[in-house]
Amino acid sequence: MFTLACDNMTMQQIRPGSMYPLGANYDGSGVNFALFSQVADKVELCLFDEDDKETRIEMTEQNSYVWHNYISGIQPGQRYGYRVYGPYDPAKGMRCNPNKLLLDPYAKAIEGNIDGDESLFSYRFADPDGPMNDLDSADHTMKSAVVNPYFDWGNDQHPNTPYHDSVIYEAHVRGMTNLNKDVPPQIRGTYAGLAHPSVIEYLKKLGITALELMPIHQFVNDSFLQEKGLSNYWGYNTIGFFAPHNAYACSGQRGEQVNEFKAMVKAYHRAGIEIILDVVYNHTAEGNDMGPTLSFRGIDNQSYYRLVDGDPRHYFDTTGTGNSLLMRSPHALQLITDSLRYWVTEMHVDGFRFDLAATLARQFQEVDKLSAFFDIVEQDPVISRVKLIAEPWDLGSGGYQVGGFPSSWSEWNGRYRDCVRDFWRSQPSTLPEFASRLLGSSDLYQVNGRRPVASVNFITAHDGFTMNDLVTYNNKHNMANGEDNRDGESNNRSWNCGVEGPTTISDVNNLRQRQLRNLFSTLLVSQGIPMICGGDEVERTQQGNNNAYCQDNEISWRSWDSTPEQEDLLQFVSKLIHLRLEHPVLHRRRFFSGREPGEDVSTIPQIEWFDHTGSIMDMDDWQNTHAFSMMIYLNGSDIPEVDWYGNRMVDNDFILIFNAHYEPIMFTLPSERYGKKWQLLIDTYNPKGPELSYEAGFAITAQARSFLLLKSSDCPAVRREDS
C-alpha cells in the first residue's frame, strides 16, 4: 500500500484491490478499479480533476490478465479512463496505443462525446498505412465516471406481466416527449420526461403493458453525421454496455443519469408497466479498421472483436457497421452477460430486445442455435427469467433465422409483418399464410414446442415506414438523410391508396384511414405478442422517410397535437387493446386446434374457417389465388388453459370477418349451433357506427377492404349448459 499525492486531489491510498468485479466499483470509502487485458504490458489508470488535469496511476496488480487496484477516497462523480501499453501491429490484429484515452468497458456512466478529431484514430488521415498516430486523444474523447450504486428503490417490483397478456409499445426516449407540452421544457427528451405522469397515464390509458425503449446504452454520435448537420438518432452505435446514454439525462453526466434512469423505471413499475431495452451487443461504435480507438480496440482488440481469418487487420462484419463482437471469446461473452445481469439486478429492467441477434449466435462462421451465448443465457438464473426478444436476422450468410431461436426466446416475426402488409394490399396467394400468421405462426414455432408468444407480431417498427406512411407512400422519400435517397429499403410492401403522399381527395384519405384501422385490428386480434410502433396510433408520419436513423428532429419526433381524425384512431386502437386484454380467447397461451379430418361434424372445434356463404372452407377455397376474404369462428368455451388461480377459462365466442377485396362482400353468419346472437363491436368501414345485433344465419355486409368483429351476446356458461 502506498499513497498518491497530486495537485487538486486529496491524499489517496493505493491498495492491491480485487480482480472482481470488473469496472469501477464504489464501496463508500473508495473505488476498486479492474480492467481485463490479455495483451497489455502496462496499464495506467487516468484520473481527471475539475480542470481536466490528468493524473496517471500505474496499475500494479495483475491476476488472470485482470489489472486492478483499490484507491481510497475516490468519490462518485470521479472521471477516469485507461491507457494501455502493448503491441501495435494492425497486420497481426494488435492495436494498443497508450496515446489514446480509453473508456472502461464496464463504465456505468460516461461523460461527453467524441468530436471526430484525428487524435481519436491510431493512424494519420494522410497516411493510413503509416506509423502509429501518437496524438493524445484525452481532450477529444469521452470519459468514464464513477457512480454511486445506492438508490432507494422502496418496494419496487417487476410487474412480471405474462407474455400472452403483453402489449409492447416501441418508443424513443427523446422522440417520445420532445414535443409534449404537458412535460416541462427542461425535461423533455429525457428519462425524467419519459417518467412524467402525463406520459405514463397516456400509455396506461392506451392499454400498454411494456415500453420497449430504443437503444439507451451509451452510444457515439458519429462525426460524419454531425458534419452534415445530422446525428445518430436511433443510437445503434453502442460504446458503453453498462451506461445509460448521457444525452438523455437532464440531471448530469457524472452518474446522475443512472439515478434518473432508475427513477424512470421505478415510476413505470408503479404504474404496472414493464421496461424492455433494445440492446446492441452485436457490434460497437469503433467500426472497422479505419474507425476510432475509443475502448475495446485499444484494450484487447483480439479478445473482443472477430477478425478476418488470415487477415486480422480487418474485421469480420455481419452487422453492416464495420465489426462484430467475438462470440466465442469468454471475455466478450462475460462482458455481455455481466451487462445484461447488471441491467436486471441494478437497473430493474424487465427484458431485452436483441438487435441483429443472429450475430450473437455466430460462434464461428454460421449461425449456431447451440452457441455458447445461448447456453450461457439459458442457464443464467437472472437473465433467463426476464423477457428475451430476438431480432432474428443479421446481414451475414444464413442470417435470416425467423423461427430458429431457442424455446425460451420470443422473436420479431418479420414474416408476420410482410404477410399482413401483402394481404391488405390484396396481393395474390396470401390467404393461407395470412391465416397462419393470424393464429400465432404455428408453422414457425410449434415444431420445437414453442407457443404463440414466441411470435412478436408487428406491422411497423422504428426501421421502415410508419403505419401512416405505409398507406400513404409507394416509394421511400429519404432526401433529408443527405444520401440522394439511396439509403433505406426500396421494397416496403406499401400502398399509397392511389396518390403518392398527402392529398385532399376525400376517397383516398377515407381509404387510408380504413386501412390503418384494418392493420391495427389485424395486429390486435392476432395470437402472439403485439408490438405497436410509438406514434402509429395517432398517425405519426416521417413524410415518407423509411430510414430516419439520423433525423433527431420533427421528422422522427412524436407529435402530441392531434387532429380529430388522429384522436379517433387513438380511441379505436385503445378500444381494440382493451378488448384483447379482456378476452382470453383473443390472446391464448396455446395454439388453436382446428377440425381434424374425419372428425364428427357435429362437434364444435376451437376454431372454424368459413367462406362468405357460411360454409366451412375446403381445399379449393384455400387454394384460390385470388381469395381475399374469410370468416373465422373462435370458440371461447373451449380454451385448454386455466387462469392464474387454476380455474377453467370461459370466454365469449367471436367471429372475425376479413375482406381485403376492392368490392363489398355479403357474409352469411354461421348456423345456430355456433351461437344464436351476435353483437357487432368493430367495423373498420364505420368505426363510429352502432353496435348492431345479428342472429345466426343472418347476412352482414363487409364493405370493401374492411374488417368486422362480432362477439356472442349470450353468456357462454349458460349457452353451453342449455345446448
Side-chain angles (χ1 to χ4, degrees), residues 120-190:
L120 296 167
F121 299 79
S122 284
Y123 61 90
R124 293 284 188 171
F125 290 169
D127 187 14
D129 296 322
M132 182 178 74
N133 180 348
D134 60 1
L135 293 175
D136 195 291
S137 68
D139 293 335
H140 302 276
T141 193
M142 315 155 84
K143 296 179 177 66
S144 310
V146 176
V147 306
N148 187 342
Y150 306 109
F151 180 81
D152 183 9
W153 282 104
N155 61 353
D156 180 73
Q157 293 186 358
H158 295 281
N160 288 321
T161 306
Y163 268 113
H164 66 284
D165 289 333
S166 296
V167 179
I168 298 174
Y169 189 92
E170 185 194 38
H172 188 283
V173 173
R174 277 181 58 78
M176 187 68 176
T177 64
N178 254 353
L179 299 177
N180 190 334
K181 296 176 183 176
D182 291 331
V183 176
Q186 65 272 22
I187 66 171
R188 291 174 192 167
T190 69

Side-chain angles (χ1 to χ4, degrees), residues 255-297:
E256 296 90 349
Q257 63 265 55
V258 177
N259 285 345
E260 191 174 326
F261 181 90
K262 289 178 177 178
M264 179 201 72
V265 173
K266 185 178 178 180
Y268 274 88
H269 283 180
R270 195 181 301 118
I273 299 175
E274 297 182 317
I275 297 294
I276 296 172
L277 300 186
D278 189 342
V279 290
V280 189
Y281 292 109
N282 51 75
H283 73 278
T284 79
E286 291 185 301
N288 60 18
D289 58 297
M290 304 303 289
T293 299
L294 306 176
S295 180
F296 310 92
R297 191 195 308 277

Side-chain angles (χ1 to χ4, degrees), residues 238-342:
T238 304
I239 195 62
F241 295 108
F242 294 77
H245 188 59
N246 53 32
Y248 296 160
C250 61
S251 52
Q253 297 190 8
R254 298 186 183 180
E256 296 90 349
Q257 63 265 55
V258 177
N259 285 345
E260 191 174 326
F261 181 90
K262 289 178 177 178
M264 179 201 72
V265 173
K266 185 178 178 180
Y268 274 88
H269 283 180
R270 195 181 301 118
I273 299 175
E274 297 182 317
I275 297 294
I276 296 172
L277 300 186
D278 189 342
V279 290
V280 189
Y281 292 109
N282 51 75
H283 73 278
T284 79
E286 291 185 301
N288 60 18
D289 58 297
M290 304 303 289
T293 299
L294 306 176
S295 180
F296 310 92
R297 191 195 308 277
I299 293 171
D300 196 330
N301 190 55
Q302 295 169 310
S303 291
Y304 283 114
Y305 291 119
R306 181 157 186 191
L307 308 179
V308 174
D309 292 340
D311 186 14
R313 173 185 289 275
H314 296 106
Y315 294 81
F316 184 86
D317 180 19
T318 56
T319 64
T321 60
N323 66 55
S324 305
L325 287 180
L326 182 60
M327 299 310 298
R328 61 177 180 266
S329 164
H331 309 290
L333 290 169
Q334 181 186 10
L335 174 81
I336 295 171
T337 52
D338 283 351
S339 168
L340 291 169
R341 204 176 298 114
Y342 172 79

Side-chain angles (χ1 to χ4, degrees), residues 218 472 498 634 693:
Q218 184 68 51
T472 306
L634 304 180
S693 295

